[in-house]
Amino acid sequence: MRINELKELLYAAEDEIASLGEFVSNEIFCHPELGDQEFYSSKFLTDEMKKLGFDVTFPYCGVPTAFRCEYGDDEGPKVAFLAEYDALPGYGPDHNQNGHACGHNWIAASTFQAAAALQKIKSHFKGKIVYIGTPAEETCGRKIDIAAKGGFDDIDAAFQIHLGSYNAVECVALACTDVTFTFHGRAAHASGRPEEGINALDACNLTFMGVNALRQHVTSDVRIHGIIKEGGLACNIVPDHCVMQYFVRAADKNYLETVVEKVVNCARGAALMTGAELEWERCPNTFYDYRSIPALQEKFRENMQAQGITDFVKEDIYHSGSTDIGNVSYSCPTAYGYLGTGEVSTAETHDAEYLEVVNSPYAYKLLHIGAKAMAATALDVFCDDAFRAQLKQHKER
């Protein structure tokens, strides 16, 4: 069967199970759980995969709420669809409720639907369909842990789409880490005995000054942004314990390390100037930049266009954030994209108003478009030897 005929068969299969994807989206949406606490969501998703005949490994790579589901044979490539299902805090009238304002319910459902649609036509191609649950994207990024343990190394291509304000397949993500500085000074009466004090808050402020001076001596893609988390207890006491935190980002994960060392040196200098003692720690997980593959992007675009998506935005490093999908892209060829909701709402991801978008009829429309586009591009990987060879070359670099 020709690839175009196989894709038409795929689209019909996805239409037949349209209600399943919507059910999955709604179920995750109605049970919002924070990162590393997605116990209901991960069990629900793996139970649904078992009903379809997928073999399930749960938990996966030592992450309690991660999983891997597989269907197929070992005679061909392995293609993965990556689910996210962690929610965000701070919603509701009293700002004390969790909510899927980033649309991770939709991500879980669209990747589920892509895997399920391919499973229905599996007799027409060789290979293995893989559905991997990746928790805590909003916090520590468990894709990083899974990648570090080789959890994506055997994958020939991985797919994920996010809801957003525009459509994109040429996506950018900056490498990112966070560093926390704790300065220990000496308390004293700020008016009566200031000469006896060592001001830990001064050390924080001097660190900010050092970093601000540093900005003109790093490349323009670098982003350094920080806060003071603890700045003292009373104005008439010299602060003896202050804590500050920086996020440091760069377009390249290797250059990120250079910048982090410069930022740490700013804090070291501030400690030396004030006489405060410095302790610092870095988050154990570093988010990598996203490595795109033009050939894979173009196939992804073509399959989105086949579903009626035509207006694409090309992202740039100067207006981008960070995601743990970057670490996946260093382990295997990865296609990451956005489908825009601007037609129905001006709300952005993480806005409270976006909760009205991510599980709406319009989101369901995009869910089916995204599932078909991901699954169709997966068929290109499964069935096109030359295309798969291109991806393999990229993976081996």
Side-chain angles (χ1 to χ4, degrees), residues 73-78 126-128 156 382 388:
D73 49 74
D74 293 320
E75 297 181 29
K78 295 179 182 178
K126 293 292 185 180
K128 188 163 286 188
D156 292 276
F382 281 122
R388 194 164 62 251

Side-chain angles (χ1 to χ4, degrees), residues 192-236:
R193 293 176 287 106
E195 71 280 2
E196 296 180 10
I198 295 177
N199 196 317
L201 184 57
D202 282 349
C204 289
N205 288 328
L206 287 167
T207 302
F208 273 112
M209 292 174 65
V211 169
N212 286 337
L214 172 66
R215 296 181 192 280
Q216 63 178 314
H217 302 294
V218 294
T219 54
S220 58
D221 56 281
V222 170
R223 298 288 183 269
I224 311 171
H225 38 103
I227 59 170
I228 294 177
K229 301 177 72 174
E230 299 176 33
L233 299 175
C235 291
N236 60 349

Side-chain angles (χ1 to χ4, degrees), residues 126-186:
K126 293 292 185 180
K128 188 163 286 188
I129 307 160
V130 185
Y131 181 62
I132 300 179
T134 61
E137 190 276 336
E138 296 290 357
T139 52
C140 55
R142 292 303 178 193
K143 292 185 191 68
I144 299 170
D145 301 85
I146 296 171
K149 293 185 178 180
F152 303 108
D153 287 354
D154 64 336
I155 300 299
D156 292 276
F159 294 90
Q160 188 181 92
I161 300 178
H162 205 298
L163 289 178
S165 58
Y166 50 74
N167 306 311
V169 294
E170 295 176 275
C171 297
V172 176
L174 298 177
C176 178
T177 190
D178 66 88
V179 185
T180 299
F181 299 120
T182 300
F183 292 99
H184 301 281
R186 183 187 304 128

Side-chain angles (χ1 to χ4, degrees), residues 292-354:
S292 61
I293 305 174
L296 185 55
Q297 287 179 331
E298 190 53 37
K299 285 285 188 184
F300 206 16
R301 183 200 306 274
E302 290 173 4
N303 287 305
M304 282 196 184
Q305 288 173 330
Q307 300 303 314
I309 304 298
T310 57
D311 52 332
F312 292 94
V313 170
K314 181 178 181 179
E315 292 190 326
D316 65 82
I317 59 175
Y318 306 110
H319 302 89
S320 60
S322 305
T323 171
D324 57 3
I325 200 85
N327 298 67
V328 181
S329 74
Y330 273 81
S331 297
C332 66
T334 303
Y336 183 63
Y338 283 90
L339 283 174
T341 56
E343 183 177 321
V344 295
S345 176
T346 58
E348 301 276 355
T349 54
H350 291 217
D351 292 348
E353 293 77 12
Y354 214 59

Side-chain angles (χ1 to χ4, degrees), residues 79-83 111-112 114-115 118 129-133 157-159 374-375 378:
V79 175
F81 303 94
L82 309 183
T111 50
F112 180 100
L118 282 169
I129 307 160
V130 185
Y131 181 62
I132 300 179
F159 294 90
M374 286 188 286

